[in-house]
Coordinates of all heavy atoms in Angstrom, one line a residue:
A1 N 35.8 13.9 21.8 CA 35.5 13.2 20.5 C 34.1 12.8 20.3 O 33.5 13.0 19.2 CB 36.5 12.0 20.3
E2 N 33.5 12.2 21.4 CA 32.1 11.8 21.3 C 31.1 13.0 21.1 O 30.2 13.0 20.3 CB 31.7 11.1 22.7 CG 30.3 10.6 22.6 CD 29.9 9.8 23.9 OE1 30.9 9.7 24.8 OE2 28.8 9.3 24.0
A3 N 31.5 14.2 21.9 CA 30.6 15.3 21.7 C 30.8 15.9 20.3 O 29.8 16.4 19.7 CB 31.1 16.4 22.7
E4 N 32.0 15.9 19.7 CA 32.2 16.3 18.3 C 31.4 15.5 17.3 O 30.8 16.0 16.4 CB 33.7 16.3 18.0 CG 34.0 16.8 16.6 CD 33.8 18.2 16.4 OE1 33.6 19.0 17.4 OE2 33.7 18.6 15.2
R5 N 31.4 14.2 17.5 CA 30.6 13.3 16.6 C 29.2 13.6 16.7 O 28.4 13.6 15.7 CB 30.9 11.9 16.9 CG 32.4 11.4 16.5 CD 32.4 9.9 16.6 NE 32.3 9.3 17.9 CZ 33.4 9.1 18.7 NH1 34.6 9.5 18.3 NH2 33.2 8.7 20.0
E6 N 28.6 13.8 18.0 CA 27.2 14.2 18.1 C 26.9 15.5 17.5 O 25.8 15.6 16.8 CB 26.9 14.2 19.6 CG 26.9 12.9 20.3 CD 26.6 12.9 21.8 OE1 26.3 14.1 22.2 OE2 26.4 11.9 22.4
R7 N 27.8 16.4 17.6 CA 27.6 17.7 16.9 C 27.4 17.6 15.4 O 26.6 18.1 14.8 CB 28.7 18.7 17.3 CG 28.5 20.1 16.8 CD 29.7 21.0 17.0 NE 30.8 20.5 16.2 CZ 31.0 20.8 14.8 NH1 30.1 21.6 14.2 NH2 32.0 20.3 14.2
R8 N 28.4 16.8 14.9 CA 28.4 16.6 13.4 C 27.1 15.9 13.0 O 26.5 16.2 11.9 CB 29.6 15.8 13.0 CG 30.9 16.5 13.2 CD 32.1 15.8 12.7 NE 33.4 16.4 12.9 CZ 34.6 15.9 12.7 NH1 34.6 14.6 12.2 NH2 35.6 16.6 12.9
A9 N 26.7 14.9 13.8 CA 25.5 14.1 13.5 C 24.2 15.1 13.4 O 23.4 15.0 12.6 CB 25.2 13.0 14.4
K10 N 24.1 16.0 14.5 CA 23.1 16.9 14.5 C 23.1 17.9 13.3 O 22.0 18.2 12.8 CB 23.1 17.7 15.8 CG 22.7 16.8 17.0 CD 22.8 17.6 18.3 CE 22.4 16.7 19.5 NZ 22.5 17.5 20.8
V11 N 24.3 18.3 13.0 CA 24.4 19.2 11.9 C 24.0 18.5 10.6 O 23.2 19.2 9.8 CB 25.8 19.7 11.7 CG1 26.1 20.5 10.4 CG2 26.2 20.7 12.9
V12 N 24.4 17.3 10.3 CA 24.0 16.6 9.2 C 22.5 16.4 9.1 O 21.8 16.5 8.0 CB 24.8 15.2 9.1 CG1 24.2 14.4 8.0 CG2 26.2 15.5 8.9
H13 N 21.9 16.0 10.3 CA 20.5 15.8 10.4 C 19.7 17.1 10.1 O 18.7 17.1 9.3 CB 20.1 15.3 11.8 CG 18.6 15.1 11.9 ND1 17.9 14.0 11.3 CD2 17.7 15.8 12.6 CE1 16.7 14.0 11.6 NE2 16.5 15.1 12.4
A14 N 20.2 18.2 10.6 CA 19.5 19.6 10.3 C 19.7 19.9 8.8 O 18.7 20.4 8.3 CB 20.2 20.6 11.2
E15 N 20.8 19.7 8.3 CA 21.0 20.0 6.8 C 20.0 19.1 6.0 O 19.5 19.6 5.0 CB 22.4 19.8 6.5 CG 23.4 20.7 7.0 CD 24.8 20.4 6.6 OE1 25.1 19.3 6.0 OE2 25.7 21.3 6.9
G16 N 19.9 17.8 6.4 CA 18.9 17.0 5.7 C 17.5 17.4 5.8 O 16.8 17.5 4.8
E17 N 17.1 17.9 7.0 CA 15.7 18.4 7.2 C 15.5 19.7 6.4 O 14.4 19.9 5.7 CB 15.5 18.8 8.7 CG 15.4 17.5 9.6 CD 14.2 16.7 9.3 OE1 13.2 17.3 8.8 OE2 14.1 15.5 9.6
F18 N 16.6 20.5 6.3 CA 16.5 21.8 5.5 C 16.3 21.5 4.0 O 15.4 22.1 3.4 CB 17.7 22.7 5.8 CG 17.7 23.9 5.0 CD1 17.0 25.0 5.3 CD2 18.5 24.0 3.8 CE1 17.1 26.2 4.6 CE2 18.5 25.1 3.0 CZ 17.8 26.3 3.4
E19 N 17.1 20.6 3.5 CA 16.9 20.2 2.1 C 15.6 19.6 1.8 O 14.9 19.9 0.8 CB 18.1 19.3 1.7 CG 19.5 19.9 1.8 CD 20.6 19.0 1.4 OE1 20.2 17.8 1.1 OE2 21.8 19.4 1.4
S20 N 15.1 18.7 2.8 CA 13.9 18.1 2.6 C 12.8 19.1 2.6 O 11.8 19.0 1.7 CB 13.6 17.1 3.6 OG 12.3 16.5 3.6
A21 N 12.7 20.0 3.5 CA 11.8 21.1 3.6 C 11.8 21.9 2.3 O 10.7 22.3 1.7 CB 11.9 22.0 4.8
D22 N 12.9 22.2 1.8 CA 13.0 23.0 0.5 C 12.4 22.3 -0.6 O 11.7 22.9 -1.5 CB 14.5 23.3 0.3 CG 14.7 24.3 -0.9 OD1 13.8 25.2 -1.1 OD2 15.7 24.2 -1.6
V23 N 12.7 21.0 -0.8 CA 12.1 20.2 -1.9 C 10.6 20.1 -1.7 O 9.9 20.2 -2.7 CB 12.8 18.8 -1.9 CG1 12.1 17.9 -2.9 CG2 14.3 18.9 -2.2
L24 N 10.2 19.8 -0.5 CA 8.7 19.7 -0.3 C 8.0 21.1 -0.6 O 6.9 21.1 -1.1 CB 8.4 19.4 1.2 CG 8.8 17.9 1.6 CD1 8.5 17.7 3.0 CD2 7.9 16.9 0.8
S25 N 8.7 22.2 -0.2 CA 8.1 23.5 -0.5 C 8.0 23.7 -2.0 O 6.9 24.1 -2.5 CB 9.0 24.6 0.1 OG 8.5 25.9 -0.3
N26 N 9.0 23.3 -2.8 CA 8.9 23.4 -4.3 C 7.9 22.5 -4.8 O 7.1 22.9 -5.7 CB 10.3 23.1 -4.9 CG 11.3 24.0 -4.5 OD1 11.0 25.2 -4.2 ND2 12.6 23.6 -4.5
A27 N 7.7 21.2 -4.3 CA 6.7 20.3 -4.7 C 5.3 20.9 -4.5 O 4.4 20.8 -5.3 CB 6.9 19.0 -4.1
A28 N 5.1 21.4 -3.3 CA 3.8 22.0 -3.0 C 3.4 23.2 -3.8 O 2.3 23.3 -4.3 CB 3.8 22.5 -1.4
E29 N 4.4 24.0 -4.2 CA 4.2 25.1 -5.1 C 3.8 24.6 -6.5 O 2.9 25.1 -7.1 CB 5.5 25.9 -5.1 CG 5.2 27.2 -6.0 CD 6.5 28.0 -6.1 OE1 7.5 27.7 -5.4 OE2 6.5 29.0 -6.8
I30 N 4.4 23.5 -6.9 CA 4.1 23.0 -8.2 C 2.7 22.4 -8.2 O 1.9 22.5 -9.1 CB 5.2 22.0 -8.7 CG1 6.5 22.6 -8.9 CG2 4.8 21.3 -10.0 CD1 7.7 21.7 -9.1
L31 N 2.4 21.6 -7.2 CA 1.1 21.0 -7.0 C 0.0 22.0 -7.0 O -1.1 21.7 -7.4 CB 1.0 20.0 -5.9 CG 1.9 18.8 -6.0 CD1 2.0 17.9 -4.7 CD2 1.4 17.8 -7.2
S32 N 0.2 23.1 -6.3 CA -0.8 24.1 -6.1 C -1.3 24.8 -7.4 O -2.3 25.4 -7.4 CB -0.3 25.2 -5.1 OG 0.8 25.9 -5.6
R33 N -0.4 24.7 -8.4 CA -0.8 25.3 -9.6 C -1.9 24.6 -10.4 O -2.6 25.1 -11.2 CB 0.5 25.4 -10.5 CG 1.6 26.2 -9.9 CD 2.8 26.2 -10.8 NE 3.9 26.9 -10.2 CZ 5.2 26.8 -10.6 NH1 5.4 26.1 -11.8 NH2 6.1 27.5 -10.0
T34 N -2.0 23.2 -10.1 CA -3.0 22.4 -10.8 C -3.8 21.6 -9.7 O -3.2 20.7 -9.1 CB -2.3 21.4 -11.7 OG1 -1.4 22.1 -12.6 CG2 -3.3 20.6 -12.6
P35 N -5.0 22.0 -9.5 CA -5.8 21.2 -8.6 C -5.9 19.7 -8.8 O -6.0 18.9 -7.9 CB -7.1 21.9 -8.6 CG -6.9 23.3 -9.2 CD -5.7 23.1 -10.1
T36 N -5.9 19.4 -10.1 CA -6.0 17.9 -10.4 C -4.8 17.2 -9.9 O -4.9 16.0 -9.5 CB -6.2 17.8 -12.0 OG1 -7.3 18.6 -12.4 CG2 -6.4 16.3 -12.3
A37 N -3.7 17.8 -10.0 CA -2.4 17.1 -9.5 C -2.6 16.8 -8.1 O -2.1 15.8 -7.5 CB -1.2 18.0 -9.8

C-alpha cells in the first residue's frame, strides 16, 4: 500500500510538471511574438 501511494504521488507530480511545462511553453511562445512584453 505504501509503494502504491508513492507511485501515485510520483505520477501526480509528473503530470503537474508536464502541465506546467506546457503552459510555460505557450507563455514563452506568446511573449516571443512581442519583444516589449
Side-chain angles (χ1 to χ4, degrees):
E2 183 178 359
E4 179 65 19
R5 287 193 295 270
E6 291 180 357
R7 183 188 69 82
R8 293 180 181 178
K10 291 180 180 179
V11 170
V12 172
H13 180 71
E15 291 177 350
E17 291 290 338
F18 178 79
E19 294 178 0
S20 176
D22 187 35
V23 172
L24 289 175
S25 176
N26 294 334
E29 182 180 357
I30 295 173
L31 291 174
S32 64
R33 298 173 186 171
T34 308
T36 306

